[in-house]
């Protein structure tokens, strides 16, 4: 599925004004695939005929694009706030990260906790650096002393473990 529909995600990344020359281009493709797979998992209509696949990919491409734009805006905002302390954030009226996390659903927290338990130390570090510190694969590689392609492989491993947990939780329901 990944290679078959990667073109949809690549087009969405291009619409976000990212090109292969950008250091975070591959990061956005991986992020887009996460979004695409999640949208596929939640999509309710049957996808059997070629027309249905085309319809789904148009919708999925739009959702991937919109979510990537949101992600880019969060990243930009995170970089702007990176120098501020918790006290400064509170005084400025911005919501600290801990209270934003409290708005997550209980089910999502449970799934993330389950994922965290099955990850090794290196995968946990990559996950933290990517989604808490908003670093690109290249930046994570510099911090951890790894190549950016190896960081990408670790992220794909995390993604595979996440999908395994998702499928297991679906079979239990």
């Amino acid at each position: 599925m990944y290679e078959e529909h990667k073109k949809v995600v690549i087009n969405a990344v291009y619409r976000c004004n990212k090109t292969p020359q950008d250091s975070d281009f591959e990061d956005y493709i991986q992020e887009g695939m996460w979004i695409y797979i999640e949208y596929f998992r939640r999509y309710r209509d049957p996808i059997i005929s070629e027309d249905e696949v085309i319809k789904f990919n148009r919708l999925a491409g739009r959702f991937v694009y919109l979510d990537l734009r949101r992600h880019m805006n969060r990243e930009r905002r995170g970089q702007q706030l990176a120098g501020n302390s918790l006290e400064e954030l509170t005084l400025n009226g911005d919501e600290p990260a801990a209270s934003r996390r409290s708005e997550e659903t209980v089910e999502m927290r449970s799934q993330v906790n389950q994922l965290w338990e099955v990850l090794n130390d290196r995968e946990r570090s990559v996950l933290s650096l990517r989604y808490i510190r908003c670093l690109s694969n290249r930046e994570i590689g510099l911090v951890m002393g790894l190549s950016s392609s190896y960081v990408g492989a670790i992220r794909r491993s995390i993604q595979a473990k996440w999908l395994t947990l998702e499928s297991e939780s679906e079979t239990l329901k």
Side-chain angles (χ1 to χ4, degrees):
M1 180 172 136
Y2 182 84
E3 289 300 323
E4 191 176 325
H5 300 285
K6 190 174 181 179
K7 206 166 48 171
V8 173
V9 173
I10 290 172
N11 287 335
V13 172
Y14 278 125
R15 286 184 62 203
C16 292
N17 297 322
K18 294 290 179 183
T19 63
Q21 292 76 27
D22 294 324
S23 62
D24 55 358
F25 181 75
E26 283 298 319
D27 295 345
Y28 279 99
I29 289 182
Q30 287 183 355
E31 190 70 30
M33 283 308 297
W34 277 87
I35 297 164
Y36 182 92
I37 290 168
E38 184 62 25
Y39 183 68
F40 178 79
R41 192 178 68 79
R42 293 175 185 235
Y43 193 69
R44 300 280 183 227
D45 295 339
I47 307 173
I48 299 167
S49 72
E50 188 65 31
D51 289 338
E52 291 164 343
V53 171
I54 291 169
K55 175 186 172 191
F56 171 78
N57 279 335
R58 281 188 187 138
L59 290 170
R62 177 83 175 139
F63 280 102
V64 169
Y65 166 73
L66 292 172
D67 279 1
L68 287 176
R69 293 301 300 181
R70 276 188 221 110
H71 178 75
M72 291 170 77
N73 290 335
R74 277 193 311 267
E75 233 176 33
R76 200 172 305 120
R77 183 175 149 202
Q79 289 170 352
Q80 291 170 348
L81 298 175
N84 296 342
S85 67
L86 182 60
E87 295 82 27
E88 289 171 325
L89 289 176
T90 308
L91 290 173
N92 292 336
D94 289 337
E95 191 175 279
S99 64
R100 283 193 302 270
R101 282 193 302 267
S102 68
E103 296 172 4
E104 296 174 350
T105 64
V106 173
E107 182 180 340
M108 181 60 84
R109 281 191 211 173
S110 171
Q111 289 173 338
V112 170
N113 287 337
Q114 288 174 344
L115 176 65
W116 193 259
E117 290 173 11
V118 299
L119 297 179
N120 61 41
D121 290 338
R122 183 170 279 169
E123 291 168 333
R124 287 178 183 160
S125 296
V126 168
L127 192 66
S128 296
L129 290 170
R130 177 66 184 138
Y131 294 103
I132 295 173
R133 302 249 335 261
C134 297
L135 298 181
S136 68
N137 283 3
R138 185 180 59 77
E139 294 166 327
I140 293 169
L142 290 172
V143 169
M144 295 181 67
L146 306 170
S147 70
S148 61
S149 60
Y150 188 59
V151 172
I154 293 170
R155 287 185 61 201
R156 285 188 294 280
S157 169
I158 294 168
Q159 184 177 18
K161 290 178 180 181
W162 173 262
L163 292 173
T164 300
L165 287 173
E166 285 280 306
S167 65
E168 288 173 359
S169 70
E170 288 295 318
T171 58
L172 294 176
K173 289 182 181 179

